[in-house]
Amino acid sequence: MSKEEHKLPLSKRKESVIFMMILFAFQVFMVVLFSVWVRYSKNEVDYDKLTSAEREVLAATGGAVQEEVTNIYGYFRDINIMIFFGFGFLMTFLRRYGYSALGYTFIISALVSQWSVLIFGFFETVDHKNDHGGDFASTFEMSQTVILQGLFCAGAVMISYGAILGRVTPLQMLVVGIFEPIFYFLNMFIGEMNLEAIDVGGGMYIHLFGSVFGLTIAWFLTDKKSKDCEDNSPSYSGDYFAMAGTLFLWMMWPSFNAAIAPLGEPQFRAIANTFLSLTASTIATFIVTRLFGHLGHKIDMVHVQNSSLAGGVVQGCLAHMNINPGGAIGMGFLAGVISVLGYLFISPFLQRRFNIQDTCGIHNLHFMPGFIGSIAACIAAWKGINDKSLYNPIEFEQIFRAGDDQAKNNAAATFISIGIAIAGGLFVGAILKALKKVGGLKAKQYYQDSAFWHVPIDYPKDVEY
Amino acid sequence: MSKEEHKLPLSKRKESVIFMMILFAFQVFMVVLFSVWVRYSKNEVDYDKLTSAEREVLAATGGAVQEEVTNIYGYFRDINIMIFFGFGFLMTFLRRYGYSALGYTFIISALVSQWSVLIFGFFETVDHKNDHGGDFASTFEMSQTVILQGLFCAGAVMISYGAILGRVTPLQMLVVGIFEPIFYFLNMFIGEMNLEAIDVGGGMYIHLFGSVFGLTIAWFLTDKKSKDCEDNSPSYSGDYFAMAGTLFLWMMWPSFNAAIAPLGEPQFRAIANTFLSLTASTIATFIVTRLFGHLGHKIDMVHVQNSSLAGGVVQGCLAHMNINPGGAIGMGFLAGVISVLGYLFISPFLQRRFNIQDTCGIHNLHFMPGFIGSIAACIAAWKGINDKSLYNPIEFEQIFRAGDDQAKNNAAATFISIGIAIAGGLFVGAILKALKKVGGLKAKQYYQDSAFWHVPIDYPKDVEY
Amino acid sequence: MSKEEHKLPLSKRKESVIFMMILFAFQVFMVVLFSVWVRYSKNEVDYDKLTSAEREVLAATGGAVQEEVTNIYGYFRDINIMIFFGFGFLMTFLRRYGYSALGYTFIISALVSQWSVLIFGFFETVDHKNDHGGDFASTFEMSQTVILQGLFCAGAVMISYGAILGRVTPLQMLVVGIFEPIFYFLNMFIGEMNLEAIDVGGGMYIHLFGSVFGLTIAWFLTDKKSKDCEDNSPSYSGDYFAMAGTLFLWMMWPSFNAAIAPLGEPQFRAIANTFLSLTASTIATFIVTRLFGHLGHKIDMVHVQNSSLAGGVVQGCLAHMNINPGGAIGMGFLAGVISVLGYLFISPFLQRRFNIQDTCGIHNLHFMPGFIGSIAACIAAWKGINDKSLYNPIEFEQIFRAGDDQAKNNAAATFISIGIAIAGGLFVGAILKALKKVGGLKAKQYYQDSAFWHVPIDYPKDVEY
């Protein structure tokens, strides 16, 4: 390749300079704020008063900090795999967009993970001040669970990315990565801290919010030409990689839904329900993908890669609840069926009628199963309130924090999630649209790594039909 | 691609309809049975009698249910990776069969994982009734360990799949997935619950059983034309993917053999022996693959992908026993040597003389090392009975459940595993053969995704030599 | 392919025979030494004196052996993934060297993992004898942590392999795998056991040592022709695989640095600092890779694959220390910046002026960030000694084992690591150079699997520009 080909045109150079400046400013800002405001989680112990036996025990066990690491870190690790490997590789199905799929997932999720500590810390500190009064705390204690919150938020951002995959510049993704977390944690602050809604695996805060946000910004980034790009199509080896992403998401999903569930029976149910539900959505996928005659009874890899995961999404809110193992299978099956139908019928409709092009079909994988799960959580909450024999008194208190208002509050949180996602999506979408002037992609550059990446000589050629 | 090409011929449409009907009926059946018969594992606590201090402790620790999750879930997660990712990708080496390898592994293992809860529950309930009398229990308590049993069973089914890879329809795989678990748990019921044989990592129940079952059904699915299909050959990038499968199997194997080992020394030995044995079989593989002149001293990727795992298989029965670390290395080395020799000499012989075509060479990876390990377990049991200094009294009771009959019972379980596998294989193989009439594959469709999958335009072309 | 092509020329046959003989002798040697000298870790319990209640507790909990498994095995598993999958796939970026990258990583790391148990055992026994007198112990107790040490050592060897990737025969790699661990554990013996230096994640012992050793042997294996091989260049799909390696290294790195940290606050900080630092080096990578005009503001995949990991390396020594979360981000950012600059400017310089060709750029990923981290550890040690409020008294004792000499000892260990690595590298490099006569690679065989592997028909053809 000649040197010329490596160069970006002028407008893209501008995009690059702004990208670098914002990212650098962001990082400096982080270093300063983390330095002055964030502290490591500590054991609350008066070391002078310990007997030597107590000291030995503490040295050997590590105390409360270690307990949290022991309970959470294994899940953190799994969810880390889901975000960076799972989402990254799930999106490599396009024939020449894998560098971008992997690369933007990498940089944006890394940024969101850092940024989230501060935003979550801010809202938690506000919440603490609201409840207990006093000044805004001068430092914020970062625990293992706090870092985990950053991965959850990155999950929501990656879901949104799925809708606009292939049609954005790095600068546009950077804007999404900086602003979406603010709306994400605002929503979570309302739903989790004020309404005390039930949402153990982010059915509302992650899947519903992330997908509505993503579909809203996708509306700003859809144009006539983007709709029939030849490069918006999978490749054979790309699908192997995408299946690696799918499988790691699928295999780690029980950890996603169980990570912050109360210990004991709720945590076990979160694992069991999620796993059973995933097996059922996988079964549903293989049935429905073969069912439709216009597809000639052949299996469609797009459905296998995505709809098999719907069973994890649909359990997002209520995986830890006592919904009966048969109920978990039924819900997963339903989610899988609806998800495949979405790919077959609803996505094309959304694109035609509403001008929303949704590259990965997040509507079908995250929105519909997420919404069903959110409504199911309201019903399960209502049932739990009315039949206390379903839960032991300890877990009842842990799960039903809003008491008799639980079902109502969950319904409220569901629609607030949708509302804030739309508002945030409109705000961010408008910025993205404005940024099209700064080195934005032409339609012929959509779904191509070569726009922003050095590519090797075996980079796939243009398709000839 | 034109619309015509997407369509299946009439006989395949029939296959598709039956596939969908059985799978749908299966799923409805599962929802009903799980709903009425399966319940979540619970803490056995009388909550009314707890002091408030006891309540706080229980809320903070999660009780016995959480203890099982803490002990088992990490292993469950690893074995989940082995089944879905490990087996799936290990089988992607064929140049145009990766969708099928990944897809059928996915759907069938998901189905088996669900189905197993019921079958295992049935046999456990029968066993409990045999031991304690009374009625057949009206519900079955599903614990973390029970769900894990489903993954073990899926492992056996995937081993069997390895033998017939490329020569089956989805409908035929569905039949295997529904029937093989019944024989699997019947065998386990006899060996584990009645004979109380030692088999910590499924050396007999999974590897020996799964491979004999697979070789038996492969006999029904081998014909003259299947033997020299050009597509029954690896591709360069396919081998990278297959190595990803191999490596995850290899890396997670200590978890496989240690998952249900008694806590403490046996569990540690299971990890250590498996790991050492795997390093030794890897070393053996690289020696023997280079040894044979007719291969020109070059390394064969097939051996690396498979025989390096023989050290995990050979430890299947007895990884947790006191076999001396040097013994573990020796066993792993022996298994690796024999496995490569199997690929070089025995597989071709089986195909030529016994008409058993074994696509992945499960004979060499699972049968031979599994059989050696099963016999070694008899010897180790005999040694343990005769030299009680090898084990502390606690672990002795946990491991040697059959007391002085241990070696004899293990020998019995070994041959019963082979017997039931042959019987089951004959039964299922006959059905598979009959199902060839329902859209069965023609020889020229063997080892090809395009028979049942939509494939992208870069699907590999026919080979031209 | 004809049979002729499969055959190796005479000199390569000699290489093969010597390779097999050494490897076989090694394995026999291992079986003997493990059998006579290595024993499994045991609970130190007098079983006769246990009450039946104590027995039940021990049976249910597994005692001290289980405690170590519970604390360590999860990390072991993650680091296992890093070594075999992470390093293996990271090195698959070359267009036709993936079998070798994966295969040699596999066999050499397996060998090193075994071999390390003995060498580590030797040095620990010597250390114990030095401290407590008496005879050299007649057996060595292998615990979960001991097996983990083998993976750490394999990490150092794989770093060294990165420098010479593509230019070595299996026999040469075998020599590296047998000798490098001896120097590795000698260095660790001095730094860890004698100087009691701080190095929780192997910043000095693994990254600094491994990279200096690798660069030294690379000097012996660089010649005029190796410098511009057309095959020393990435491929598009190879880069996807390499990203899978990168991501697993990135995601598991907190486990790497936390595995042997003292429980409690130090372990938590090791996780948090490593994770934050990695996010920062990822951000730095994307800034600096776009910054340089001669690259036209496009993103370079080489930087993304490597420099994003610099944040893990730089935390190697001191991840568990109280460096402030802002400090962790700052260090990660700095490491990322310097690493990309290394790829852009220093590696070409090293190759041109010092005749050191460093295929993977270990200088930029391991040497520079490793050295910065080692120096930072001296500073953090000095700070900790002078401001005891930074640590609680329990962790202070655990971390600052050398007391007031800590900073000085850490500085000494840093330079001793470099010194021993150079000495070892010169010794091993000289052997490697001598072994060029035994079937050594010609320049036109560099960076090609076909030299030692059977390759399928779709093995990439020679590049035509």
Side-chain angles (χ1 to χ4, degrees), chain A residues 239-403:
Chain A
D239 272 337
Y240 284 44
F241 286 109
M243 271 302 285
T246 295
L247 288 174
F248 266 101
L249 286 168
W250 197 95
M251 299 178 305
M252 301 292 117
W253 213 299
S255 297
F256 196 90
N257 286 349
I260 56 168
L263 297 185
E265 296 168 33
Q267 190 155 112
F268 169 63
R269 285 196 303 257
I271 292 168
N273 285 335
T274 305
F275 184 71
L276 289 174
S277 182
L278 285 164
T279 60
S281 58
T282 306
I283 289 173
T285 301
F286 276 81
I287 295 177
V288 185
T289 192
R290 296 200 79 182
L291 184 63
F292 284 89
H294 69 282
L295 288 171
H297 293 268
K298 284 197 177 182
I299 307 168
D300 191 330
M301 205 41 160
V302 173
H303 306 156
V304 175
Q305 279 161 16
N306 291 283
S307 302
S308 53
L309 298 167
V313 176
V314 80
Q315 296 292 332
C317 293
L318 82 179
H320 62 326
M321 294 179 80
N322 187 354
I323 57 170
N324 185 308
I329 295 177
M331 280 180 72
F333 188 79
L334 179 69
V337 169
I338 285 180
S339 178
V340 177
L341 294 178
Y343 278 97
L344 288 169
F345 304 111
I346 304 181
S347 279
F349 176 77
L350 280 179
Q351 181 167 327
R352 217 169 46 238
R353 293 292 290 272
F354 290 98
N355 210 35
I356 295 175
Q357 188 177 22
D358 171 9
T359 314
C360 292
I362 62 165
H363 172 270
N364 314 309
L365 173 49
H366 299 280
F367 177 69
M368 289 194 301
F371 186 71
I372 294 171
S374 302
I375 299 305
C378 300
I379 299 170
W382 176 81
K383 251 184 96 176
I385 293 294
N386 287 294
D387 178 1
K388 295 200 174 163
S389 75
L390 289 168
Y391 300 89
N392 72 51
I394 291 175
E395 57 176 349
F396 189 88
E397 261 179 48
Q398 293 170 324
I399 298 173
F400 294 82
R401 292 174 301 147

Side-chain angles (χ1 to χ4, degrees), chain A residues 201-214:
Chain A
M204 292 184 290
Y205 309 140
I206 301 172
H207 299 291
L208 199 57
F209 174 88
S211 61
V212 172
F213 190 99

Side-chain angles (χ1 to χ4, degrees), chain A residues 3 5-8 12-13 15-17 19-20 23-24 26-27 30-31 34-35 38-43 47 50 55 58-62 65-66 69 73 76-77 80-81 84-85 89 92 94-99 102-104 106-107 110-111 113-114 142-144 147 151 170 241 248 449-460, chain C residues 67 71 74-75 77-78 85 95 234-241 243-244 246-248 250-255 262-265 267-269 271-273 275-276 278-284 286-288 290-291 293-301 304 308 321-330 333 389 392-394 397-398 463 465:
Chain A
K3 211 149 194 183
E5 286 178 72
H6 276 152
K7 283 207 180 135
L8 290 176
K12 291 236 161 37
R13 285 225 283 279
E15 182 272 345
S16 177
V17 170
F19 171 88
M20 289 186 287
L23 197 49
F24 182 70
F26 168 85
Q27 193 59 126
M30 288 297 113
V31 170
F34 270 81
S35 294
V38 181
R39 294 294 171 268
Y40 305 103
S41 179
K42 266 192 188 181
N43 287 327
Y47 291 93
L50 293 182
R55 265 179 90 126
L58 187 55
T61 62
V65 168
Q66 185 62 33
V69 168
Y73 180 63
F76 173 85
R77 191 161 57 179
N80 210 354
I81 295 177
F84 289 91
F85 186 95
F89 274 96
T92 58
L94 294 172
R95 54 188 295 277
R96 41 187 194 181
Y97 197 68
Y99 283 18
L102 291 166
Y104 302 156
F106 199 6
I107 174 68
L111 179 151
S113 304
Q114 239 185 58
M142 174 181 68
S143 68
Q144 183 67 60
I147 313 180
L151 293 181
F241 286 109
F248 266 101
D449 284 334
S450 54
F452 291 105
W453 293 77
H454 292 278
V455 291
I457 51 167
D458 63 335
Y459 180 67
Chain C
E67 207 174 291
N71 286 336
Y75 295 125
R77 190 162 57 180
D78 295 352
F85 186 95
R95 53 187 297 277
S235 79
Y236 190 62
S237 73
D239 272 337
Y240 284 44
F241 286 108
M243 271 302 286
T246 295
L247 287 174
F248 266 101
W250 197 93
M251 299 178 305
M252 301 292 116
W253 213 298
S255 297
L263 297 184
E265 296 168 32
Q267 190 156 110
F268 169 64
R269 284 195 304 257
I271 292 168
N273 284 336
F275 183 71
L276 289 175
L278 285 163
T279 60
S281 58
T282 306
I283 289 173
F286 276 81
I287 294 176
V288 184
R290 297 199 80 180
L291 183 64
H294 70 281
L295 287 171
H297 294 269
K298 285 198 177 181
I299 307 168
D300 191 331
M301 204 43 161
V304 175
S308 53
M321 294 179 81
N322 187 353
I323 56 170
N324 185 309
I329 296 177
F333 188 79
S389 75
N392 71 51
I394 292 175
E397 261 180 47
Q398 293 170 325
V463 180
Y465 283 92

Side-chain angles (χ1 to χ4, degrees), chain A residues 74 78 235-236 239-240 255 263-265 267-268 273 279-280 290-291 295-299 322 324 392 463, chain B residues 8 13 15-16 20 35 40 43 47 60 62 66 73 77 96 98-99 114 142 144 449-450 452 454 458:
Chain A
D78 294 352
S235 79
Y236 190 63
D239 272 337
Y240 284 44
S255 297
L263 297 185
E265 296 168 33
Q267 190 155 112
F268 169 63
N273 285 335
T279 60
R290 296 200 79 182
L291 184 63
L295 288 171
H297 293 268
K298 284 197 177 182
I299 307 168
N322 187 354
N324 185 308
N392 72 51
V463 179
Chain B
L8 290 175
R13 284 224 283 278
E15 182 272 345
S16 177
M20 289 185 288
S35 294
Y40 305 103
N43 287 327
Y47 291 92
Q66 184 62 33
Y73 179 64
R77 191 162 55 180
R96 40 187 193 180
Y99 284 17
Q114 240 185 56
M142 173 182 68
Q144 183 67 61
D449 285 332
S450 54
F452 291 105
H454 291 279
D458 62 336

Side-chain angles (χ1 to χ4, degrees), chain B residues 35-286:
Chain B
S35 294
V36 300
W37 194 57
V38 181
R39 294 294 171 268
Y40 305 103
S41 179
K42 266 191 189 182
N43 287 327
E44 297 299 329
V45 172
D46 186 345
Y47 291 92
D48 295 336
K49 291 195 182 148
L50 293 181
T51 64
S52 72
E54 285 168 342
R55 267 178 88 123
E56 261 177 49
V57 169
L58 187 54
T61 62
V65 169
Q66 184 62 33
E67 208 174 289
E68 196 186 347
V69 167
T70 304
N71 285 338
I72 301 288
Y73 179 64
Y75 296 125
F76 173 85
R77 191 162 55 180
D78 295 353
I79 297 166
N80 210 354
I81 295 176
M82 292 177 77
I83 301 304
F84 289 90
F85 186 94
F87 278 110
F89 273 96
L90 179 57
M91 299 200 269
T92 57
F93 64 95
L94 293 172
R95 53 188 296 278
R96 40 187 193 180
Y97 197 67
Y99 284 17
S100 306
L102 291 167
Y104 302 155
T105 298
F106 199 6
I107 174 68
I108 301 302
S109 295
L111 179 150
V112 170
S113 304
Q114 240 185 56
W115 184 204
S116 293
V117 172
L118 291 182
I119 315 178
F120 177 80
F122 171 80
F123 281 115
E124 207 180 67
T125 306
V126 169
D127 184 58
H128 190 265
K129 187 172 169 321
N130 287 351
D131 290 358
H132 305 274
D135 291 330
F136 190 91
S138 67
T139 58
F140 170 67
E141 207 169 90
M142 173 182 68
S143 68
Q144 183 67 61
T145 310
V146 170
I147 312 180
L148 177 59
Q149 295 292 346
L151 293 181
F152 282 137
C153 180
V157 177
M158 288 304 107
I159 291 168
S160 304
Y161 179 32
I164 56 177
L165 187 78
R167 304 196 303 280
V168 280
T169 63
L171 176 58
Q172 286 171 320
M173 276 313 297
L174 185 57
V175 168
V176 175
I178 288 175
F179 287 105
E180 185 170 350
I182 300 172
F183 294 97
Y184 171 90
F185 282 109
L186 171 65
N187 180 49
M188 198 180 138
F189 170 67
I190 297 172
E192 172 71 18
M193 301 180 194
N194 292 340
L195 292 172
E196 300 189 306
I198 296 171
D199 190 7
V200 77
M204 291 183 291
Y205 309 141
I206 301 172
H207 299 291
L208 199 57
F209 175 88
S211 61
V212 172
F213 190 98
L215 293 167
T216 309
I217 58 176
W219 181 64
F220 289 90
L221 294 174
T222 306
D223 53 50
K224 222 178 260 173
K225 285 175 189 160
S226 71
K227 291 186 189 172
D228 35 36
C229 280
E230 277 162 0
D231 285 331
N232 185 7
S233 62
S235 79
Y236 190 62
S237 73
D239 272 337
Y240 284 44
F241 286 109
M243 271 300 287
T246 295
L247 287 174
F248 266 100
L249 286 169
W250 197 94
M251 298 179 305
M252 302 291 116
W253 213 298
S255 298
F256 195 91
N257 286 349
I260 57 170
L263 297 184
E265 296 168 33
Q267 188 155 111
F268 169 63
R269 285 195 303 258
I271 291 168
N273 285 335
T274 305
F275 183 71
L276 289 174
S277 183
L278 285 164
T279 60
S281 58
T282 305
I283 289 173
T285 301
F286 276 82

Side-chain angles (χ1 to χ4, degrees), chain C residues 31-66:
Chain C
V31 171
V32 173
L33 276 183
F34 270 81
S35 295
V36 300
W37 192 58
V38 181
R39 294 294 171 266
Y40 305 103
S41 179
K42 265 191 189 182
N43 287 327
E44 297 298 329
V45 171
D46 186 343
Y47 290 93
D48 295 335
K49 290 198 182 147
L50 293 182
T51 65
S52 72
E54 285 169 341
R55 265 178 90 125
E56 261 176 50
V57 169
L58 187 54
T61 61
V65 168
Q66 185 61 33

Side-chain angles (χ1 to χ4, degrees), chain C residues 56-351:
Chain C
E56 261 176 50
V57 169
L58 187 54
T61 61
V65 168
Q66 185 61 33
E67 207 174 291
E68 196 186 348
V69 167
T70 304
N71 286 336
I72 301 288
Y73 180 64
Y75 295 125
F76 174 85
R77 190 162 57 180
D78 295 352
I79 297 166
N80 210 353
I81 295 176
M82 292 177 76
I83 302 305
F84 289 90
F85 186 95
F87 278 111
F89 273 96
L90 180 58
M91 299 199 269
T92 58
F93 64 95
L94 294 172
R95 53 187 297 277
R96 40 188 195 181
Y97 197 67
Y99 283 17
S100 306
L102 291 167
Y104 302 156
T105 298
F106 199 6
I107 175 66
I108 301 302
S109 295
L111 178 151
V112 170
S113 303
Q114 238 185 59
W115 184 204
S116 292
V117 172
L118 291 182
I119 314 179
F120 177 81
F122 171 79
F123 282 115
E124 206 179 70
T125 307
V126 168
D127 185 58
H128 191 265
K129 186 172 171 318
N130 287 351
D131 290 358
H132 305 273
D135 291 331
F136 190 90
S138 67
T139 59
F140 170 67
E141 206 168 269
M142 174 181 68
S143 68
Q144 183 66 61
T145 310
V146 170
I147 312 180
L148 177 58
Q149 294 293 344
L151 293 182
F152 282 137
C153 179
V157 177
M158 287 305 107
I159 290 167
S160 304
Y161 179 32
I164 55 176
L165 187 78
R167 303 196 304 278
V168 281
T169 64
L171 176 58
Q172 286 171 320
M173 275 313 297
L174 186 56
V175 167
V176 175
I178 289 175
F179 287 106
E180 184 170 350
I182 300 173
F183 294 98
Y184 170 91
F185 282 109
L186 171 66
N187 180 48
M188 199 181 136
F189 170 67
I190 296 172
E192 173 71 18
M193 302 181 194
N194 292 340
L195 293 171
E196 300 190 306
I198 297 171
D199 190 7
V200 76
M204 292 183 290
Y205 310 141
I206 301 172
H207 299 292
L208 199 57
F209 174 88
S211 60
V212 173
F213 190 99
L215 293 167
T216 309
I217 58 177
W219 181 64
F220 289 91
L221 294 174
T222 305
D223 54 50
K224 225 179 259 174
K225 285 174 189 161
S226 70
K227 290 185 189 172
D228 34 36
C229 280
E230 276 162 2
D231 285 331
N232 185 7
S233 61
S235 79
Y236 190 62
S237 73
D239 272 337
Y240 284 44
F241 286 108
M243 271 302 286
T246 295
L247 287 174
F248 266 101
L249 286 169
W250 197 93
M251 299 178 305
M252 301 292 116
W253 213 298
S255 297
F256 196 90
N257 286 349
I260 56 169
L263 297 184
E265 296 168 32
Q267 190 156 110
F268 169 64
R269 284 195 304 257
I271 292 168
N273 284 336
T274 305
F275 183 71
L276 289 175
S277 182
L278 285 163
T279 60
S281 58
T282 306
I283 289 173
T285 301
F286 276 81
I287 294 176
V288 184
T289 192
R290 297 199 80 180
L291 183 64
F292 284 88
H294 70 281
L295 287 171
H297 294 269
K298 285 198 177 181
I299 307 168
D300 191 331
M301 204 43 161
V302 173
H303 305 156
V304 175
Q305 278 162 16
N306 291 283
S307 302
S308 53
L309 298 167
V313 175
V314 80
Q315 295 292 332
C317 293
L318 83 178
H320 61 327
M321 294 179 81
N322 187 353
I323 56 170
N324 185 309
I329 296 177
M331 280 179 72
F333 188 79
L334 180 69
V337 168
I338 285 179
S339 178
V340 178
L341 294 177
Y343 278 97
L344 288 170
F345 304 112
I346 305 181
S347 279
F349 176 77
L350 281 178
Q351 181 167 327

